[in-house]
Amino acid sequence: MTSIAGGPTETGDASGPPKYPNRFRASGVKARHLRAHVLVVAWLGLALLAAAAQETMPVARWLSVHMFLLGAVTTAILIWSEHFAVALLHAKIPDERWSTARLATANLAVVGLLLGVGTATPVLTAVSAALLVAAAGAHLVMLIRLGRGALGGRLKPIVSYYRAATAALIAGAVLGWMLSGGGAGGPDRYAGLRLAHIHVTLLGWIGLPVLGTLFMLWPTVLGVRMKDRTTKVSRWVLWLAGSGLLVAAAALTLGRPRPAAAGLALYVAGAALAVRLLVRTLRGNRPVSAAAAWMLATATCWLLIAVVADLVWLAARPLAEAQAAIDALLPVLLVGFAAQILLGALTYLLPVVLSSGPKDRATVRALLERGWLPRLVALNTGVALAALPLPDPAGTTGMLLAAPAGAAFLILAVPVLVRSGRKASTVAGTAGASRRPALWGTAAGVVLTVLAVLVANSGGDTGDPAVASAAGSGAATATRTIEVTLANMRVRPDRLEVAAGTALRLKVTNADAQRHDLEVEGGPSTPMLGKGDSHTLDLGTISEDREAWCTLPGHRAAGMTMEIVVKDTAKNGTTEHADGHDGHSTTASNGLDLAADFSDGWQARDAELAPAPGGTVHEVELHAARTTVEVAPGVKQQMWTFDGTAPGPTLRGKVGDVFEITLVNDDTGMGHGIDFHAGALAPDKPMRTLDPGERLVYRFRAEKAGAWLYHCSTSPMLQHMGNGMYGAVIIDPPGLAKVDHEYVLVSSELYLGTPGSTAQVTKMRRNTPDAWLFNGVANQYAQRPLKGKAGERARFWVVAAGPSDGIAFHMVGTVFDTVYKEGAYALKPGDAGGAQVLDLAPAQGGFVETTFPGAGHYPFVDHDMRHAEAGAHGMVEVSE
C-alpha cells in the first residue's frame, strides 16, 4: 500500500504498519510540522472566538469564516500538499527555508487581509491580496518543479489536484479583492462575483485537494489496499471536477446561474465517481482510526449533499434568490465538510507525523480520539439542524451543538502539540531556533490582528438618545422619522436632506435575504438584522453632513451607503409613517415632505381625458424645451419637456386616424427627437435627433388601438425620459363604451438633481429614484383629489413611462370589472371574475373600469408600496 506520511512502499502488506522513510522523520521536518500545526490550532481557536462575538460585532462573522478558511485550512493545505507531493512523486524535500517563507508569507497575507477588509482599508487589502497571490504562486511553482525529474509513483496524478487547487486559491484571492472593493458593478454583479468566490474557494482550494488526498488517505485510514483502478479514476475525477468548477466559476462571474449549474453537474459527477470508488474500498476489518474514518466519510457526504443542492438552486432560481439559498448552505460546507474533513485528517495525521514510534503514535491517537463518537454525533446533528428549513432557533441550536465539538478537538490537540514540542526541542536543541521567528511571529500577529479588528468594529447602538445627539448642537425644531430599507446591496433612500437642527430617527428594515446592518458616522448602529428585522436609530439633533453604511466587509464598497445632508432650506415635518391606504406616507424615500404645501399658484395637472377629437387627421406641434416645474410639494426641478410639461400633452384618436406631429427643438443646449410607439414606420428619419432650432414632421397612422407611450428618441434615452420627455397616446378600441369619467394617469420616476449631472445619472443607473409620480408630480392627487359621484362609472387609462419601473395600479374600495391591457381585453363587464390590479411593465399601457359603490374617499396607488409611499398615490373623492 501507500504510506501517506512517507512515500509509496512496495511491500503490498495491507495489514502491517506503514513505513516512513527517515527523511520524513528528521527532527527539522517534524519541528516544522509542529510549528505549522500550532498555527492551524491557533487559527481554529480564534475562529471560534470570533464566531462567539458575531451577535455583538457584525464583522466577527466574516472574520470567523476567513480565519477558519484562509487561516486554519489554508495553512493545513499548504503544509500537507507539499508533504504529500514529495511522497507521491518520490521527490527531494524542498529547502525548508523557502517552505517556511512561503507559509509565513501566506499567513502574513491573511493577517493583512483581515485587517484591511475588517477596517475598510483598501490599500492594505490590495497589498495583502497581492501577497497571498504571490505566496500561492510560489507554492504552485514548487509543486510543478517537484514533478521535474522525479521518479513518480502510481498516485502521481494526485499532485495535479494540488496544482489545480492552488490555481483556485489565486483566483479566489483575486475575486475576494474585487469583492472588497464593491465588486466592480451593481448588486447582480456583486452577487455573481461573491458566488464565484465562494465556489472557487470551497470547491476548488479546499474541495479539490480533499478529493485527491482521499484516494490515498481513505485506504490508509481503513488499513486496506487501494483499488487497482485508483489511478485511472483519479484522473477522471480531476478532469470532471476541475472543468466543472471552471465552467461554474466563469458563469457565476458573468452572472449566469444556469450555465454555472451545468458546471456543477460535472463537479458532482466527478465527486460521485470518487465516492463510488471509496465505498468499494470498504472492508469488514477494523480501521486504523475509526474516528478519522467516520469524520472523513460524513464530511464527504456533506460535500455531495451541498453541491447537489447548490446545483438545483442555481438551475431553478434567479441569481439573487440562488445567492440567498446558497448562503443557507454555508454551515454545511464550512462545518459539515471543511471543518470536519480538517478534524478527521488531523486526527489521523498528527499522530503519524508528530510521534516517535508505534507506541507513542498509539498514545497520541488515543488522546485525540477521546470522546470522538459523541463529538461526531453532536457536530453532524448541529449541521443538520442548521441546514434544514426549520424555524430560527433550530439553526442557532445546531451551531451551539457543533461549536463544542470543534472546541473539544482543540482542547485535545493543544497537549499533543505541547508534548511534541518538548520532545522536538530536546532532540533538536537550538538547531532550528533561527527558523522559528517567522512562524511564531506570524502567530503573534494573528492574535493582535483579531484584537485590532474586533476593537475597531466594536461600536454599537448606545440606545441613549443623549449620546446620539452629542454630535449636534441646539434644540431640534422638529422630529423626523424616516423609513430606511436595506436590500439588493443598497440603502434606500441613499440620500436624506434634512434641515439643520432636525431631530432625526431612522427606522431601518432589512428586506434582503442576506443579513445587514447600518452604522451612522459618529453615531449609533443597528444590530445585525436578518430578513424582515427592523431597528430604530435615534441620531439626535443633526447639525452637519453624515454618512451611514453597512459594516459587513465589502458591502460599503459595493454601494450600501447613505448620505445625510444638512440643508438650511429643507422643510421640517412631523413623525412620518405609513397610516394605511388613506395616507400611505407623508415622506418620500429620500426625505421629501409629501405632506407639505404646494407653492402658491400651483395647479394639479388635469387628469380628465377629453373625448377623441373629430376628423381623421390630427395636426399637433410639440416644442422640446427645458422648463422648471414643481415635481413635489414645494420642490421645483428643471425638466426636459415636450410643450413645457412632464409628461407631455396626451394625444387621442381612433383606429385609422393619422397624426402629423411637428417637433421643434427649442432647447439651445442639446439635441432631441421623438418616438411614437403607436405608429409603425422606419425610424431612420422621423426619429432622428434634431439639433437646436431644427424641426421635423413625424407622420404616422394609428393602425392599432391601445394606450401607447411616446418619448424622446435621443440617446441616452434613460436620461431624456428620466428628466420628463415622455407622454401618452390613446387610441380608442372600436366600440368603446361611454362612461361618466375618463382619467389618464402616466406613471414615472423622479430623479432630483441637475439634469445630466453625475449624481443624477448615478441614481438613474442604480434605479434609486427620489419619488414615483402620477402625471409628473408626486402626491398631487392626494392633495387635489379627482372628483366623482356615487354610482358613476369611471375609466382609468394608465401608461407606465418608466423609464425603469412599471406599475401595479390598484384602487382601494372598488373592484375592476373591465381590464384592457396592451390592445386586448382581459376582463369585460358581465364576466364572472373581477380584477384588483392593472399590472404594466415599463412602456405598457391599458385601462380599467369600475363603478363607485357609494360616497367616500377611494385611494388609488401603485401597489408596489415602496412606490406608493414615495409619491405614487392619489385619491378619488366621491360625493352623493
Side-chain angles (χ1 to χ4, degrees), residues 135-370:
H139 187 73
L140 179 59
V141 170
M142 178 273 299
L143 292 174
I144 294 172
R145 293 182 65 181
L146 282 179
R148 294 177 181 173
L151 295 175
R154 60 183 296 198
L155 291 180
K156 177 181 178 180
I158 291 176
V159 179
S160 297
Y161 282 80
Y162 304 145
R163 294 167 182 158
T166 307
L169 173 60
I170 294 172
V174 173
L175 288 169
W177 167 72
M178 293 175 68
L179 288 171
S180 72
D188 289 340
R189 171 69 167 166
Y190 184 91
L193 288 177
R194 181 172 178 268
L195 288 176
H197 173 66
I198 290 172
H199 285 77
V200 165
T201 302
L202 288 173
L203 303 185
W205 172 232
I206 299 172
L208 290 179
V210 165
L211 288 174
T213 302
L214 283 175
F215 285 114
M216 59 177 174
L217 183 60
W218 180 246
T220 307
V221 170
L222 296 179
V224 300
R225 182 191 295 274
M226 67 179 61
K227 293 292 182 180
D228 293 336
R229 300 180 64 248
T230 297
T231 302
K232 183 178 180 181
V233 170
S234 69
R235 289 194 176 98
W236 273 104
V237 171
L238 178 60
W239 188 89
L240 287 169
S243 60
L245 179 62
L246 183 62
V247 170
L252 288 170
T253 301
L254 297 174
R256 300 288 187 268
R258 286 177 178 77
L264 287 180
L266 289 175
Y267 192 99
V268 169
L273 190 61
V275 169
R276 181 172 179 269
L277 179 67
L278 300 179
V279 170
R280 295 181 64 183
T281 307
L282 286 169
R283 290 184 181 178
N285 57 311
R286 182 174 181 177
V288 175
S289 173
W294 275 101
M295 289 183 198
L296 295 175
T298 51
T300 307
C301 289
W302 282 122
L303 172 64
L304 274 178
I305 291 170
V307 179
V308 169
D310 184 6
L311 184 161
V312 171
W313 283 327
L314 282 174
R317 301 187 181 188
L319 197 61
E321 293 182 22
Q323 178 182 217
I326 292 167
D327 282 346
L329 278 178
L330 289 181
V332 175
L333 287 167
L334 291 172
V335 182
F337 167 57
Q340 191 162 212
I341 207 82
L342 181 62
L343 298 184
L346 292 180
T347 298
Y348 181 81
L349 294 172
L350 285 180
V352 171
V353 176
L354 300 181
S355 62
S356 57
K359 184 176 179 180
D360 189 34
R361 184 163 58 251
T363 302
V364 174
R365 180 165 291 134
L367 179 59
L368 290 176
E369 292 184 357
R370 189 174 295 172

Side-chain angles (χ1 to χ4, degrees), residues 23-24 82 85-87 89-95 142 145-151:
R23 57 183 176 160
F24 283 95
E82 177 183 324
V86 171
L89 295 172
H90 295 193
K92 180 182 178 181
I93 298 176
D95 189 318
M142 178 273 299
R145 293 182 65 181
L146 282 179
R148 294 177 181 173
L151 295 175

Side-chain angles (χ1 to χ4, degrees), residues 32 95-107 135 438-439:
R32 179 166 167 264
D95 189 318
E96 184 184 350
R97 292 171 299 179
W98 286 109
S99 297
T100 301
R102 286 192 297 271
L103 193 60
T105 300
N107 277 267
L439 286 179

Side-chain angles (χ1 to χ4, degrees), residues 44-45 47-54 64 68 331 334-336 339-340 343 374-386 394-412:
L44 288 173
L48 282 173
L49 288 175
Q54 62 181 295
S64 65
F68 171 60
L334 291 172
V335 182
Q340 191 162 212
L343 298 184
R375 287 190 280 125
L376 179 79
V377 172
L379 189 147
N380 286 282
T381 302
V383 172
L385 287 173
T396 303
T397 302
M399 289 299 97
L400 289 176
L401 273 174
F409 176 82
L410 297 181
I411 293 171
L412 296 172

